[in-house]
């Protein structure tokens, strides 16, 4: 049976930390689906189509990775695509506590769901979409020096797209 995993998030925007988790998870499963989910409590900087393009460019070379958008519960999407594994990245202790709670609830809703926690690589522990959004808001992507700074946070393939947005 094919081992299908889902890596779900808002990815606003997709970072090097996300890409690191995708690369490592894609080596563990037959198929990895990176799925953009809307969170009603969040206000997004990038629209869903832009986020999808950013991720597709970043994962282009990973043959077993698919990018998708969905609404509703992650476990409902997992059931639809017959995925049994949910991949989650962990940066620190606060993430562990939060993610364990989500994993427990997902297990209640979908007993076949196994959550796989991958620790962030040390160089990505402080990388977050929130930091990238703040850098973009202050115009860091507008010049060559700013783009060098941005390259520490997001995949090279997406800097051009982010530069044209802000």
């Amino acid at each position: 049976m094919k081992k299908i995993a889902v890596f779900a998030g808002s990815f606003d925007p997709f970072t090097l930390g996300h890409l690191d988790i995708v690369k490592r998870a894609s080596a563990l499963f037959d198929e990895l689906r990176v799925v953009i989910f809307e969170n009603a409590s969040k206000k997004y900087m990038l629209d869903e189509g832009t986020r999808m393009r950013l991720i597709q460019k970043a994962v282009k070379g990973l043959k077993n990775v698919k990018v998708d958008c969905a609404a509703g519960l992650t476990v409902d999407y997992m059931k639809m695509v017959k995925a049994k594994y949910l991949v989650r990245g962990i940066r620190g202790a606060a993430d562990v506590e939060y993610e364990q709670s989500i994993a427990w609830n997902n297990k209640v809703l979908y007993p076949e769901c196994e959550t796989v926690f991958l620790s962030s690589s040390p160089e990505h522990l402080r990388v977050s979409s929130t930091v990238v959004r703040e850098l973009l808001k202050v115009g860091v992507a507008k010049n060559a020096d700013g783009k060098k700074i941005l390259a520490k946070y997001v995949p090279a393939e997406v800097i051009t797209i982010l530069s044209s947005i802000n």
Side-chain angles (χ1 to χ4, degrees):
M1 178 180 256
K2 193 173 183 182
K3 287 186 178 179
I4 302 171
V6 168
F7 180 40
S10 54
F11 307 114
D12 185 38
F14 192 73
T15 68
L16 287 171
H18 294 133
L19 182 58
D20 178 57
I21 296 295
V22 168
K23 285 179 178 177
R24 291 167 45 214
S26 71
L28 299 173
F29 301 99
D30 299 316
E31 180 180 309
L32 177 67
R33 290 177 172 254
V34 179
V35 186
I36 301 165
F37 274 89
E38 295 296 318
N39 181 333
S41 65
K42 284 188 178 181
K43 183 179 178 198
Y44 296 103
M45 181 181 80
L46 303 172
D47 64 64
E48 189 177 81
T50 301
R51 286 181 276 155
M52 189 165 201
R53 279 197 337 268
L54 292 175
I55 298 168
Q56 287 170 331
K57 279 190 82 115
V59 303
K60 183 174 51 179
L62 301 170
K63 301 297 181 212
N64 66 331
V65 176
K66 296 179 180 182
V67 183
D68 203 357
C69 296
L73 295 175
T74 304
V75 292
D76 289 339
Y77 178 87
M78 291 177 68
K79 291 174 191 176
M80 182 182 75
V81 300
K82 298 178 176 38
K84 302 272 197 243
Y85 305 94
L86 180 61
V87 173
R88 301 301 295 166
I90 301 291
R91 288 179 293 195
D95 285 352
V96 172
E97 202 166 306
Y98 172 77
E99 293 294 347
Q100 283 179 326
S101 173
I102 300 297
W104 183 86
N105 286 298
N106 286 336
K107 193 76 164 165
V108 168
L109 296 169
Y110 182 36
E112 293 86 356
C113 175
E114 287 297 336
T115 302
V116 177
F117 299 109
L118 295 178
S119 296
S120 288
S121 296
E123 64 271 23
H124 302 302
L125 286 173
R126 299 294 172 230
V127 173
S128 73
S129 293
T130 303
V131 169
V132 175
R133 283 193 306 273
E134 290 301 315
L135 290 171
L136 291 170
K137 283 179 190 173
V138 298
V140 90
K142 294 293 184 194
N143 60 58
D145 288 338
K147 288 178 185 173
K148 285 180 188 172
I149 292 169
L150 205 53
K152 296 178 187 300
Y153 296 90
V154 299
E157 299 87 351
V158 304
I159 291 175
T160 305
I161 294 172
L162 291 175
S163 298
S164 68
I165 293 168
N166 288 307

